[in-house]
Amino acid sequence: ETALAGTQFRWSMRDESTVDICGPDGNRFLAHQQPAGARDTRGFHPGPPSLCLGFQYVELDCPTGAAPAIAAYYKHYFEAAVEVRQQGLPAQTAVILTGGTEHCTELRYAERADYACTPEAPYSLASYGIHLCVYMPDELLPLTMQRLADDGLLWDNPRFGSLDRSLGSSQFRCKDIVDVKARKRHEGPLPLVMEMEHEVRLASHDTSPFLAQESYTVAGREPVPRLVVSEVSSFEKDWPAVRAEKNAATVGYMPSAMLVHDVDIDDVEYLRHDDKPFLATIFKPLGQGPFPVALEVHGGCWCRGSREKSRPTNVALAQRGVIVVAIDFRTCAYPASLADIHYAVRWAKGEAPSWNGVPECIGLLGTSSGAHQAMLLGLRPGDPRYAVLPPPPGPQGAVVDGTVSYVIMLSPVMDPLGRYQYAKGRRTDVKPPADFNAELILSLH
């Protein structure tokens, strides 16, 4: 009652030791309190005595069908012992068995047909939320952090930045529970199962209720109960202004970090020279849209490569809400290559509405030599050598030009002449490495 008083959470006692708590987003969890002798009486968390070791289990709601994926998530990233229990047809419960203490045994995710989570704002901007604090053995935490980082799942919650800094560096946050089993059948980011913020710390962290022996302090500062109260008070004071500032920052397009779209992939002929067709692969997100468009210019030292080279990246971008159009074009043929790319820009502007795209938000995405060519076209969209091909067919073909809204360059070759001179040994300001293959570089210019 002390912890929940004045909050947006509702609760009721099921019996003398079990409390049913409902969050403001509709989520529900159960806490079964053990006798007072099982509690952590050191008062390490605010409220005497702390109940952090007084729960036999905590049960959270989750969407129907999500339990197996949630169990696999904790097993893969946290190396936890997990079970999936049948609780009737078709409902299941994912059970994560916690270790290190006999007093904190199970974290449960129970499938509910009426599960609903309807926050009032994007996750990091909401005025309320639930998160789990996970303590891990010191030897496992770096592995967990690396696995999450490899899949892009680490998260810096702006709401708790000052508190995180105060509590030290031996912790991190993540919040997306994803379907790791989809890796074999799914390209790009793993599908989101549900949101649940995790604050992950070393078991030997000063704040640990399991291994820390003394009433902990942080870097010589005041005991944590007072620290937490002061930090949270400051955060509650400052957060409305921070949230308002972030909500007001609506300039430009920012793909949702949470929503993952299904993607439709289609190959079409966009240009023909004599009897040779040149194809474009269109990666279209299946969503409400309309979406911005990125024309992908492949690399390959100007003379090699194809539109298939960056397929995984293009799929991932489309899943996040960007239409990607990967094109083939004439290689080893300047300025013919730029003429093809210029034509593709004009063609994409005319076709964008049929893709659920925004013609006014079309840009170039290039890698290596492709980035160099994207830069040239971005700087000189009106160069007559680049605009030499006739307009694309259709009513819009004659009225659109080759200008683009943006250019994104990955590992661009910005100074090809300088690189050529470097390979020829004509640069005195740099020394090539011992295994440098000048002939290979020269053959690609």
Side-chain angles (χ1 to χ4, degrees):
E1 293 180 358
T2 300
L4 298 176
T7 71
Q8 299 183 50
F9 291 85
R10 304 186 307 276
W11 73 95
S12 61
M13 298 297 298
R14 285 198 172 189
D15 52 46
E16 293 183 355
S17 60
T18 305
V19 60
D20 189 331
I21 303 172
C22 182
D25 55 5
N27 206 358
R28 193 187 81 250
F29 59 100
L30 304 176
H32 182 83
Q33 175 185 305
Q34 290 194 325
R39 300 179 185 177
D40 175 10
T41 58
R42 295 172 295 178
F44 278 15
H45 289 70
S50 170
L51 299 180
C52 61
L53 298 183
F55 296 108
Q56 180 179 346
Y57 65 87
V58 172
E59 181 177 297
L60 305 168
D61 287 355
C62 69
T64 301
I70 292 174
Y73 170 85
Y74 282 96
K75 181 178 181 179
H76 174 72
Y77 292 108
F78 294 88
E79 296 192 17
V82 300
E83 299 176 1
V84 178
R85 298 173 184 168
Q86 201 72 38
Q87 58 176 26
L89 295 176
Q92 303 176 97
T93 297
V95 180
I96 294 85
L97 305 174
T98 65
T101 172
E102 62 186 50
H103 302 310
C104 192
T105 57
E106 292 183 356
L107 168 64
R108 305 176 183 173
Y109 286 87
E111 295 178 355
R112 305 294 182 198
D114 59 348
Y115 172 85
C117 184
T118 55
E120 64 179 15
Y123 191 92
S124 61
L125 303 182
S127 61
Y128 56 81
I130 303 172
H131 79 269
L132 303 172
C133 189
V134 180
Y135 290 92
M136 297 194 65
D138 292 15
E139 67 273 14
L140 290 183
L141 184 134
L143 299 176
T144 293
M145 185 176 184
Q146 187 60 56
R147 292 188 189 109
L148 291 162
D150 289 344
D151 289 336
L153 296 175
L154 296 183
W155 188 54
D156 180 19
N157 186 344
R159 181 168 183 169
F160 294 108
S162 61
L163 183 59
D164 286 346
R165 289 189 294 272
S166 299
L167 293 178
S169 60
S170 55
Q171 64 180 44
F172 59 87
R173 293 180 188 267
C174 56
K175 71 175 176 66
D176 291 348
I177 297 179
V178 296
D179 184 1
V180 296
K181 292 184 176 181
R183 196 185 308 277
K184 296 181 180 179
R185 63 179 189 275
H186 187 85
E187 295 186 80
L190 295 171
L192 179 69
V193 176
M194 66 178 294
E195 293 178 356
M196 176 57 65
E197 181 179 353
H198 296 68
E199 183 178 324
V200 187
R201 298 176 180 171
L202 292 172
S204 60
H205 194 285
D206 285 342
T207 63
S208 171
F210 304 110
L211 298 183
Q213 299 302 313
E214 304 295 335
S215 183
Y216 52 82
T217 60
V218 179
R221 297 184 59 174
E222 68 270 26
V224 165
R226 291 201 301 272
L227 170 64
V228 171
V229 170
S230 65
E231 291 289 346
V232 170
S233 298
S234 173
F235 145 68
E236 294 294 353
K237 176 182 177 181
D238 298 339
W239 180 246
V242 174
R243 185 169 67 245
E245 178 183 352
K246 289 181 176 294
N247 282 334
T250 58
V251 179
Y253 178 81
M254 178 60 68
S256 170
M258 301 306 307
L259 183 60
V260 177
H261 300 281
D262 290 329
V263 178
D264 178 69
I265 303 175
D266 192 22
D267 289 317
V268 300
E269 179 183 325
Y270 80 95
L271 178 63
R272 180 177 287 264
H273 292 294
D274 299 326
D275 293 330
K276 183 177 180 180
F278 287 79
L279 302 183
T281 301
I282 307 168
F283 302 83
K284 292 181 289 188
L286 301 179
Q288 182 176 356
F291 301 105
V293 180
L295 198 72
E296 196 260 325
V297 185
H298 66 77
C301 299
W302 298 277
C303 295
R304 303 183 304 189
S306 77
R307 71 186 192 284
E308 296 291 335
K309 191 171 185 178
S310 299
R311 188 180 184 92
T313 301
N314 296 337
V315 169
L317 285 171
Q319 288 176 324
R320 295 301 187 185
V322 179
I323 298 172
V324 182
V325 182
I327 60 168
D328 280 336
F329 49 89
R330 287 175 288 179
T331 56
C332 290
Y334 177 85
S337 58
L338 271 297
D340 291 352
I341 299 168
H342 190 283
Y343 180 92
V345 170
R346 291 179 285 153
W347 169 76
K349 288 183 177 182
E351 297 293 325
S354 67
W355 304 330
N356 198 18
V358 183
E360 296 79 22
C361 191
I362 290 181
L364 295 170
L365 168 64
T367 303
S368 189
S369 59
H372 171 245
Q373 294 175 98
M375 177 269 293
L376 290 178
L377 182 57
L379 290 176
R380 295 181 171 180
D383 191 310
R385 297 172 297 172
Y386 304 162
V388 67
L389 296 179
Q396 297 296 322
V399 298
V400 296
D401 58 22
T403 58
V404 291
S405 301
Y406 60 89
V407 175
I408 300 174
M409 295 176 286
L410 309 177
S411 302
V413 184
M414 299 298 288
D415 185 6
L417 177 59
R419 193 166 82 159
Y420 179 81
Q421 292 173 334
Y422 172 79
K424 293 286 287 185
R426 297 175 183 170
R427 295 281 295 273
T428 59
D429 55 332
V430 290
K431 182 179 180 180
D435 58 350
F436 180 69
N437 188 340
E439 293 303 319
L440 175 62
I441 296 295
L442 292 173
S443 68
L444 297 174
H445 284 67

